[in-house]
Amino acid sequence: MAIDLQQIGKRFRFYTNLKELEMEQLVSITGSDETTLSNIICGKNFLLDELVAIVRNFNDLNPQWLIYGEGSMFKPMDEDGNCPDGHKGCLQKDKAAYLQQMKDMLIELDAAEVAKGHHADVNALKAKLDQLKEASE
């Protein structure tokens, strides 16, 4: 299975936007430099070793989804509804405008994922965003 750096970048950008992580926070969380993080987010030349070192800092992020676009973005929650990092729920906020932004980003990912045959994954994410949007209204 070929690895597409641009798609990894789009998925990582989607994840960081969903978690409301700014570049300053990413640098602090990962200990990586801004150039490396920017290259990953933009899908430019980066080493997978750099990506793996960064991904280790996000306990709820599913690396299979990030690299290959397979499965769910988040690792499964435990029976109490906690993310793998121990926090309740995986989203910091669920404002309608914010969810709309995420939905718009999904449209961008949708074209690439459909071409790769992963339409069901994108539909599942859209359904989750719709549920969160309804709950916030």
Side-chain angles (χ1 to χ4, degrees):
M1 181 175 288
I3 295 175
D4 185 334
L5 298 181
Q6 288 184 335
Q7 290 304 314
I8 291 171
K10 286 179 183 179
R11 286 188 285 269
F12 189 64
R13 186 178 69 223
F14 183 83
Y15 170 81
T16 58
N17 283 342
L18 190 64
K19 298 289 281 190
E20 299 179 326
L21 298 171
E22 301 292 332
M23 184 59 75
E24 212 173 87
Q25 293 168 296
L26 290 172
V27 168
S28 175
I29 291 168
T30 65
S32 186
D33 61 87
E34 190 171 330
T35 302
T36 300
L37 289 164
S38 180
N39 283 345
I40 291 171
I41 289 170
C42 295
K44 295 181 181 174
N45 284 337
F46 60 88
L47 301 174
L48 284 181
D49 289 343
E50 294 171 329
L51 180 67
V52 169
I54 289 168
V55 169
R56 287 184 182 156
N57 295 288
F58 301 101
N59 295 329
D60 63 343
L61 178 60
N62 179 354
Q64 187 76 13
W65 173 82
L66 180 65
I67 295 170
Y68 301 108
E70 298 174 352
S72 173
M73 177 185 352
F74 294 111
K75 291 178 182 173
M77 291 186 187
D78 66 18
E79 59 276 353
D80 296 324
N82 294 320
C83 290
D85 62 4
H87 292 96
K88 273 280 188 200
C90 292
L91 299 175
Q92 293 179 6
K93 296 181 182 178
D94 60 353
K95 295 179 180 177
Y98 181 71
L99 292 173
Q100 184 60 47
Q101 178 189 3
M102 292 300 103
K103 200 167 186 177
D104 293 342
M105 288 184 73
L106 269 176
I107 292 169
E108 181 182 336
L109 278 173
D110 192 32
E113 296 299 317
V114 168
K116 291 170 48 181
H118 296 283
H119 194 67
D121 295 337
V122 174
N123 286 341
L125 286 171
K126 283 181 182 177
K128 181 69 174 174
L129 284 172
D130 287 338
Q131 287 175 341
L132 290 169
K133 187 174 180 179
E134 288 173 11
S136 71
E137 292 176 343

